[in-house]
Amino acid sequence: MNWGWFEGLLRAVNVYSTAFGRIWLSLVFIFRLLVYLVAAEKVWSDDHKDFECNTRQPGCTNVCFDHFFPVSHIRLWALQLILVTCPSLLVLMHVAYREAKEERLREIQGDNYRRIYPNPGKKRGGLWWTYLLSLIFKAGVDLVFLYVFFRLYRNYTLPRLVKCELQPCPNIVDCFISRPTEKNIFTLFMVVTTCVCVVLNLIEATYLIGKRCHECLEVKGGDSRR
């Protein structure tokens, strides 16, 4: 899968992000996307091929593998990265809508038209809400996937040995997972970076709300003095 457009998306969103948002973008691009592309895909490339059970019963190994790996880590992480970056695309679309609206007004009224959005990328009005909701959605997506990983793979770890007694296995058979220690290290790394991203999203949302409240209080204070 070509992830190049993700890099372009993250670079474009960086222009309209706060300081916390830029840190989040760096974490997603360097510690999640690049680690996923460079290392994680290779670590899990042999998960089915090297999943071995001590039986030659046809179908037993496939059934046991499907039971212990209902969804691949790699596919879940890919879906998580897609969903967590989509809200940033909505922010870019909102800014593009503002710019297009300004351009239409300029074509209709001439160069001396009254501008609706002096700075289309400034987080005010609807764009402020779009940005805030995108932060909440990104944090929610990461939390949901943390829960999904915890439910599928208890404590986010893979054992070296699993015992399977599903049909068509003739009895309780021992199955061995390929490179469980290496996979556990990468899983823990991705979980920690996801938690950090959630914290950054919540901090940025708190910062936006606090800044907006402070501005509203300043405006009310100025009106009362007048």
Side-chain angles (χ1 to χ4, degrees):
M1 180 176 182
N2 185 6
W3 293 88
W5 73 278
F6 271 101
E7 179 182 357
L9 170 63
L10 296 178
R11 291 183 184 275
V13 173
N14 187 60
V15 178
Y16 308 109
S17 301
T18 65
F20 298 108
R22 293 186 181 96
I23 297 174
W24 179 87
L25 288 170
S26 300
L27 281 175
V28 170
F29 180 68
I30 298 174
F31 294 102
R32 293 176 69 175
L33 182 57
L34 287 184
V35 169
Y36 173 87
L37 294 175
V38 174
E41 280 190 312
K42 295 181 180 178
V43 172
W44 267 268
S45 61
D46 60 351
D47 54 353
H48 186 271
K49 181 180 64 176
D50 293 339
F51 183 84
E52 298 181 355
C53 298
N54 60 352
T55 180
R56 293 186 177 181
Q57 177 68 30
C60 178
T61 300
N62 286 335
V63 169
C64 294
F65 179 84
D66 182 69
H67 176 73
F68 291 107
F69 291 91
V71 183
S72 170
H73 286 68
I74 291 300
R75 291 178 179 84
L76 277 177
W77 280 330
L79 180 60
Q80 182 180 6
L81 286 171
I82 291 172
L83 292 178
V84 86
T85 51
C86 281
S88 300
L89 181 61
L90 293 178
V91 174
L92 292 180
M93 292 173 61
H94 198 148
V95 174
Y97 166 77
R98 286 184 164 190
E99 293 174 345
K101 192 172 183 179
E102 286 288 324
E103 182 63 23
R104 285 198 301 270
L105 287 175
R106 189 185 67 81
E107 292 176 354
I108 295 173
Q109 302 178 11
D111 293 335
N112 297 324
Y113 74 101
R114 183 176 178 274
R115 302 192 67 178
I116 300 177
Y117 307 110
N119 184 1
K122 192 172 184 180
K123 291 179 280 295
R124 290 291 183 274
L127 183 60
W128 186 87
W129 283 104
T130 300
Y131 195 91
L132 179 64
L133 292 176
S134 73
L135 295 175
I136 297 173
F137 182 83
K138 287 187 288 189
V141 167
D142 279 336
L143 289 173
V144 168
F145 274 89
L146 285 175
Y147 175 76
V148 170
F149 272 106
F150 180 81
R151 294 291 297 176
L152 292 179
Y153 307 103
R154 184 66 60 181
N155 298 325
Y156 306 108
T157 58
L158 297 175
R160 290 179 173 84
L161 170 67
V162 293
K163 294 184 178 294
C164 180
E165 53 181 337
L166 301 173
Q167 293 293 334
C169 298
N171 46 44
I172 299 177
V173 298
D174 295 333
C175 297
F176 303 90
I177 297 174
S178 170
R179 296 187 289 183
T181 301
E182 188 176 12
K183 291 177 180 178
N184 287 334
I185 291 173
F186 275 98
T187 300
L188 181 61
F189 178 84
M190 296 295 277
V191 168
V192 170
T193 53
T194 299
C195 291
V196 174
C197 287
V198 171
V199 172
L200 285 173
N201 283 327
L202 296 179
I203 291 175
E204 188 176 10
T206 304
Y207 168 77
L208 285 178
I209 295 173
K211 184 179 179 181
R212 188 60 176 166
C213 292
H214 179 70
E215 291 174 352
C216 292
L217 290 175
E218 283 186 342
V219 171
K220 290 182 179 179
D223 292 340
S224 62
R225 285 194 294 271
R226 294 192 189 95

